[in-house]
Amino acid sequence: MLEDKNQERTSLEKLGEFGLIDHLTKEFTMQHESTLKGIGDDAAILDFKDKKTVLSTDLLIEGVHFDLSYVPLKHLGYKAVVVNLSDIYAMNATATQITVSIAVSNRFPLEAIEELYAGIALACKKFKVDLIGGDTTSSTTGLLISVTAIGEANEKNIAFRKGTKPNDLLVVTGDLGGAYMGLQVLEREKEVFKVNPNSQPDLEPYSYIVERQLKPEARKDISGLLQVLGVQPTSMIDISDGLSSEILHLCKNSEVGCNLFEEKIPLDPTVISACEEFNIDSTMVALSGGEDYELLFTVDQKDFEKIKGNPNLSIIGHMTDASEGAHLITRANTKIPLTAQGWNSFKSE
Amino acid sequence: MLEDKNQERTSLEKLGEFGLIDHLTKEFTMQHESTLKGIGDDAAILDFKDKKTVLSTDLLIEGVHFDLSYVPLKHLGYKAVVVNLSDIYAMNATATQITVSIAVSNRFPLEAIEELYAGIALACKKFKVDLIGGDTTSSTTGLLISVTAIGEANEKNIAFRKGTKPNDLLVVTGDLGGAYMGLQVLEREKEVFKVNPNSQPDLEPYSYIVERQLKPEARKDISGLLQVLGVQPTSMIDISDGLSSEILHLCKNSEVGCNLFEEKIPLDPTVISACEEFNIDSTMVALSGGEDYELLFTVDQKDFEKIKGNPNLSIIGHMTDASEGAHLITRANTKIPLTAQGWNSFKSE
């Protein structure tokens, strides 16, 4: 899209910094009672009354976290918000506000930034969060997005990485590995496109996994679901780096071990078939793929009846004494130590 | 410093993302009762009880906002925090927490990032704020810092850009133009250094203004001072883009005009002498220089006795009807319209 020289382009320089902020944010409306003052002053004002404030922040950098050759800007804006909201949901909290700061090089016309904000607006609407502030500046190269997500929770409901104990059940929402396999498909199509720019990729068979990669959805629903079920998670984290890495975070913070059962790991049929096509082990993909933005949490054994059979939840293992370590129990009933193979942005490739 | 190839350097890749965050933040302690949980989970937890939450965020980009050829990294870390805290103080609020996210290219060794965090730590200590979160990632080029500052205030004390009315007095803290003249000195020394790398600059006569540029201090003290004086500002903003631009923000938001008196603008003697040396008009520097991080606010006429003669405060003008516009009244008693010549990061130079 950015390469289309024929479309009308408005330079950012013409608008200036204040003009750009006004232009991009004028359509955003405030939905939360807790938002006393949003964009337009030196700072935003929030009021969480007797609830606690939950806050998380993330940076997304072009060439490190995303590749604009196959990520549409609208999807990118949506995803930038969603990955931050996921951190709030991972505290078993409700997301209420975000700030979005962007740095853009002058290779981006206003219309491109509008696309990005259309995605941000869509996420704000879908997840019911208010855009309350941010910063807009130029960059010497590429696009950069910094999002801070703010939420609220009753203190008794907050779930930390620390808190689970041996014999607690390990539960995951949704299914895993889709985002990683979607990325494999997109990377392959990019290579095909390089060789033959006229090729028309048929992504239809991969629509679920491509969507998992390009337009992930954070689990806004789980906090409410658990309240309805009367379940307080003993620990919780979101799956951004892969199941294995997140389990190890829970184990380390809670000083416990874990047995994860391979046969219990929820996989969508599309993921399984894509794994076959790419000749990749689907368990490996679930363990190390990352970017699924599902929630991983633990519950007391006594809550088993409340969660079993729920279509949103899969019980995939249980916690053990720390001395037992963290293992995958394979279908062949062998025990393999879990290792963190999550994503490290400093690793050279 | 970054060019010194002889010193021991630790690559960021070796530490990885989690290792780096742990390493950089392990010395930070939490000082505020409102910080229930800082770094180490998916999100931080804060508790402002019956106070309102105030929140602001900024991006600082290498090559756009700072030049590492003359800005030491420790100063940069300090300044990155200070400019954000200034936005909280500009709401007449107390800053309590910050998050800091950085993106660094692998041209930076660990030791450089440690320097940056030493400056961040110094600012946290001096301004009594807790570092509660952030993100650390690689960048394809240069250094980028994103800071979110969080604060608290009683609702009745919060001062917005909107709220002042005709006849209110316009007040500024400290003195103006120093940061801009400090930048002129540093830019000149950079050019001298390019021609003769062995030259030893004597910055001693310029120490005040160079410090105003490299190590600005936000006005943490003003909110408390005004409370002691029993003064509630009717509007407030911090001076990041220059006096002129900030006055116009107050006028626009409050729908008023303003008369600013040239002779009342507070200038340090070092600024005046540097302006003479560089042949720049000192009033112009105060109006458009920016980066002074002083506070500009308005008070009701009845508060005149409470603030007059206070060494921290200068009454520099008064607000008028919107129809009168915003003007500088020169020493020669001519009226010149104020124009926003604040800094626009999208402007090509």
Side-chain angles (χ1 to χ4, degrees), chain B residues 50-303:
Chain B
D50 53 343
K51 293 196 173 175
K52 306 307 170 210
T53 307
V54 183
L55 190 143
S56 183
T57 191
D58 260 324
L59 271 185
L60 290 176
I61 310 222
E62 184 178 355
V64 178
H65 300 93
F66 57 87
D67 180 340
L68 288 178
S69 65
Y70 54 72
V71 178
L73 281 160
K74 188 171 176 182
H75 283 71
L76 180 63
Y78 189 88
K79 183 168 175 173
V81 175
V82 165
V83 304
N84 273 272
L85 298 183
S86 184
D87 281 324
I88 302 297
Y89 302 142
M91 305 303 288
N92 203 28
T94 304
T96 45
Q97 288 92 5
I98 55 165
T99 67
V100 177
S101 297
I102 58 166
V104 277
S105 69
N106 48 21
R107 107 171 188 261
F108 294 89
L110 175 62
E111 289 71 19
I113 308 303
E114 284 175 341
E115 272 296 294
L116 183 76
Y117 270 75
I120 292 167
L122 190 64
C124 284
K125 196 175 164 195
K126 170 125 190 221
F127 292 91
K128 290 201 172 43
V129 293
D130 295 342
L131 178 72
I132 57 158
D135 194 8
T136 315
T137 184
S138 63
S139 101
T140 46
T141 164
L143 172 65
L144 178 144
I145 311 170
S146 172
V147 179
T148 297
I150 303 129
E152 59 177 32
N154 290 313
E155 190 162 19
K156 67 178 168 59
N157 293 331
I158 297 174
F160 296 92
R161 295 180 181 184
K162 180 189 168 100
T164 183
K165 52 195 185 314
N167 300 319
D168 278 1
L169 302 174
L170 183 68
V171 185
V172 71
T173 63
D175 53 73
L176 301 177
Y180 181 81
M181 289 317 296
L183 184 62
Q184 301 315 305
V185 170
L186 289 167
E187 296 267 5
R188 183 177 66 183
E189 294 308 325
K190 184 182 168 185
E191 292 308 312
V192 171
F193 181 83
K194 274 187 197 163
V195 177
N196 176 11
N198 294 318
S199 69
Q200 287 291 328
D202 178 17
L203 294 179
E204 174 61 29
Y206 309 105
S207 60
Y208 176 70
I209 56 178
V210 167
E211 182 138 325
R212 290 285 280 177
Q213 169 61 224
L214 292 182
K215 194 166 170 288
E217 306 290 352
R219 298 306 303 247
K220 179 183 193 296
D221 54 329
I222 299 301
S223 162
L225 172 66
L226 292 177
Q227 280 202 34
V228 168
L229 296 175
V231 174
Q232 172 60 33
T234 53
S235 70
M236 194 181 250
I237 193 169
D238 72 323
I239 300 184
S240 52
D241 291 329
L243 181 59
S244 187
S245 171
E246 314 306 352
I247 287 176
L248 291 172
H249 278 305
L250 294 185
C251 287
K252 185 184 164 193
N253 282 273
S254 296
E255 297 175 44
V256 293
C258 180
N259 283 329
L260 166 69
F261 296 94
E262 184 179 20
E263 62 181 352
K264 304 287 188 185
I265 297 173
L267 299 170
D268 188 83
T270 334
V271 172
I272 295 170
S273 61
C275 282
E276 282 166 4
E277 191 182 333
F278 281 80
N279 201 19
I280 311 179
D281 181 67
S282 59
T283 300
M284 203 59 202
V285 166
L287 287 177
S288 305
E291 290 206 281
D292 288 314
Y293 300 105
E294 296 292 342
L295 294 176
L296 178 72
F297 59 94
T298 53
V299 300
D300 192 283
Q301 286 255 7
K302 73 172 164 43
D303 290 326

Side-chain angles (χ1 to χ4, degrees), chain A residues 90-105:
Chain A
M91 305 303 289
N92 203 28
T94 304
T96 45
Q97 287 92 5
I98 55 165
T99 67
V100 176
S101 296
I102 58 166
V104 277
S105 68

Side-chain angles (χ1 to χ4, degrees), chain A residues 3-74:
Chain A
E3 306 304 319
D4 183 358
K5 303 287 187 205
N6 295 321
Q7 66 181 42
E8 285 284 325
R9 292 161 61 112
T10 311
S11 84
L12 296 181
E13 194 184 319
K14 229 163 54 181
L15 269 172
E17 196 172 336
F18 300 123
L20 181 59
I21 295 172
D22 285 350
H23 179 83
L24 293 172
T25 60
K26 64 173 188 277
E27 302 291 337
F28 285 76
T29 53
M30 301 297 113
Q31 310 180 53
H32 280 279
E33 209 187 313
S34 59
T35 307
L36 299 190
K37 168 86 188 172
I39 290 165
D41 217 298
D42 295 292
I45 313 284
L46 309 174
D47 183 9
F48 293 108
K49 301 208 167 86
D50 54 342
K51 293 196 174 175
K52 307 306 168 208
T53 307
V54 183
L55 189 141
S56 183
T57 189
D58 260 324
L59 271 184
L60 290 176
I61 308 218
E62 183 178 355
V64 178
H65 300 94
F66 57 87
D67 180 338
L68 288 177
S69 65
Y70 54 71
V71 178
L73 281 161
K74 188 173 176 181

